[in-house]
Amino acid sequence: MAESWLPLAGVRVVDFSMFVPGPFSTAILADLGADVIKVEPPRGDPGRSYVPVQFETENRNKRSVVVNLKDPQAADIVARLAAHTQVVIEGFRPGVAKRLGIDYETLRRHNARLLYCSISGYGQTGPWRERPGHDVNYVAAAGGLAFPGQWRKAPARSSLPIADMAGGAFAAIAVLAALHEGKGAYLDLSLFEAAFFLCAMRHGLDREVDPRAHLFPVNDVFETADGKRLTLGILEEHFWQNFVQVVPELADERFASDAKRRANGDTLSASLEAVLRRKTAAEWQRLLEEHDVPVDLCVTPGEAAEHPQLKERSASERGYAKFPVWANGRRGGAITRRTPQIGEHSREILVELGFDDGEIVEFRRKGVL
């Protein structure tokens, strides 16, 4: 396999976050070569048990140290972590980091050039700053559940935690921008605003927007004769013309242009549903691919991983998906570590920070570790 592209080699990140947004952000940084130290409470990141598969995937390439941040004696460990890192990420509600002694003002005393990113539901300021929430709340409040995702169906939640993962990605982008700027920074990222940014990019801010403006009846998901689901990606006129060669009964004047297809969308969508149920998914794939019509089967990520296209581009390794960019012929990211056990690297990390075995034993005896 070709050498991996690891542009963040030499950058250290201390991650105090839990669940999805922060760990997803630091997974991106770790994949690109950063040394990510995951600081977990004595019982571990609750994400280990809430959604174990996502915890497993987004905490690869990291090292875990357990520190009881509620113990005042943890301050020495926190100080050395701050002094020996470039980036800190936390994901608590506003005010919690300060109570734990890991807030920006405390840590920057040990490292004036520290890049510190707080990821919270609604941001560090504003009337909702302390409001509880999770991904579905942020997405709904931001406008992401107001519009449908299919022509004749009601709005539905995605299986992906949109705000959490988009917020994590935006945090990684902001950290990289701050690293490029080359000086200390405090970054305040709101998951609500991350979702709002996506929604506004897609739908705009017109309060009277057409709820179907982003939909096309021929760009949708349909069930086939064998109960599988196919996606048609017909937007451009030439794809429609190719499609009606396969299904000539839809070469109807009511559907002769994009405007007409949208105007008669309910009728067309129902007709497409009936037509697609006549053949199996495999039969439709063969026919439509032969006629250059965008078509794909709805599969699981595990099934997708076996696709020759993803195999050719080395999209996964050791059971994990890899960072999806190539740079100058090198695949971005590498899977160098499996997901760590709770506190697996505690001693290793503390030795790197300059603590000796006697001090480490004492930390353990007092319950700091």
Side-chain angles (χ1 to χ4, degrees):
M1 183 180 294
E3 181 185 358
S4 298
W5 182 57
L6 302 172
L8 297 182
V11 173
R12 175 170 283 179
V13 178
V14 173
D15 183 4
F16 291 107
S17 69
M18 298 182 284
F19 291 107
V20 176
F24 180 70
S25 179
T26 55
I28 294 170
L29 303 178
D31 279 7
L32 293 176
D35 174 19
V36 175
I37 296 175
K38 182 176 181 63
V39 182
E40 300 191 65
R43 293 187 178 182
D45 181 341
R48 287 182 179 271
S49 58
Y50 271 86
V51 188
V53 66
Q54 185 156 10
F55 181 90
E56 175 73 19
T57 56
E58 69 187 11
N59 285 288
R60 77 285 182 91
N61 285 342
K62 301 177 186 179
R63 297 189 290 165
S64 169
V65 56
V66 167
V67 181
N68 182 6
L69 296 174
K70 295 180 180 179
D71 190 316
Q73 296 179 85
D76 194 14
I77 297 174
V78 168
R80 294 201 200 184
L81 281 168
H84 290 81
T85 193
Q86 286 100 321
V87 179
V88 167
I89 291 183
E90 62 92 4
F92 298 103
R93 278 206 226 182
V96 174
K98 184 173 181 61
R99 291 200 298 271
L100 293 174
I102 58 169
D103 57 296
Y104 176 59
E105 292 303 323
T106 296
L107 299 194
R108 71 186 298 214
R109 295 176 198 148
H110 309 289
N111 184 348
R113 295 176 61 84
L114 187 67
L115 304 179
Y116 187 108
C117 180
S118 290
I119 301 174
S120 62
Y122 300 97
Q124 301 297 306
T125 60
W128 275 12
R129 64 187 293 272
E130 294 184 357
R131 194 171 190 263
H134 280 294
D135 182 83
V136 68
N137 307 116
Y138 313 140
V139 173
L145 292 177
F147 306 119
Q150 293 182 253
W151 188 264
R152 292 193 303 132
K153 294 189 177 181
R157 183 184 183 185
S158 170
S159 70
L160 300 178
I162 300 298
D164 286 353
M165 297 184 81
F170 292 147
I173 292 168
V175 164
L176 295 176
L179 282 171
H180 175 74
E181 189 176 37
K183 57 185 180 182
Y186 177 72
L187 309 173
D188 168 9
L189 186 137
S190 157
L191 298 173
F192 174 39
E193 290 171 45
F196 176 68
F197 184 81
L198 294 184
C199 294
M201 282 287 194
R202 178 62 161 167
H203 301 291
L205 298 179
D206 181 356
R207 296 178 68 121
E208 304 303 320
V209 65
D210 176 0
R212 281 180 169 175
H214 61 295
L215 298 178
F216 300 83
V218 287
N219 186 63
D220 216 331
V221 184
F222 301 93
E223 191 171 306
T224 60
D226 52 348
K228 296 182 178 179
R229 293 181 304 138
L230 282 182
T231 58
L232 294 181
I234 301 172
L235 294 179
E236 296 88 346
E237 186 62 31
H238 67 277
F239 287 138
W240 174 253
Q241 295 304 325
N242 293 348
F243 180 72
V244 295
Q245 291 181 43
V246 181
V247 190
E249 64 264 43
L250 293 182
D252 186 302
E253 180 58 30
R254 292 173 298 170
F255 314 136
S257 67
D258 176 65
K260 290 182 177 181
R261 289 192 287 275
R262 291 177 62 83
N264 297 291
D266 289 352
T267 300
L268 176 55
S269 180
S271 298
L272 285 166
E273 285 185 3
V275 166
L276 268 293
R277 285 198 182 100
R278 294 177 190 169
K279 301 181 188 297
T280 66
E283 289 173 320
W284 279 120
Q285 282 186 286
R286 178 182 58 79
L287 278 170
L288 297 177
E289 286 174 0
E290 287 175 355
H291 286 79
D292 194 34
V293 175
V295 59
D296 274 289
L297 183 66
C298 296
V299 300
T300 67
E303 292 169 329
E306 298 303 314
H307 196 285
Q309 176 69 17
L310 293 181
K311 284 184 171 293
E312 171 68 23
R313 289 177 59 82
S314 305
S316 62
E317 181 181 341
R318 301 188 191 182
Y320 300 103
K322 297 173 67 176
F323 188 76
V325 175
W326 284 71
N328 299 323
R330 292 186 292 167
R331 179 80 200 196
I335 307 300
T336 57
R337 294 178 182 270
R338 58 172 175 74
T339 303
Q341 299 298 311
I342 299 173
E344 180 178 341
H345 305 96
S346 292
R347 182 184 179 280
E348 173 184 306
I349 291 167
L350 291 177
V351 169
E352 289 177 9
L353 296 177
F355 293 103
D356 61 35
D357 284 338
E359 291 172 303
I360 294 171
V361 168
E362 189 65 9
F363 280 137
R364 291 192 187 282
R365 188 183 69 80
K366 293 179 177 179
V368 180
L369 296 180

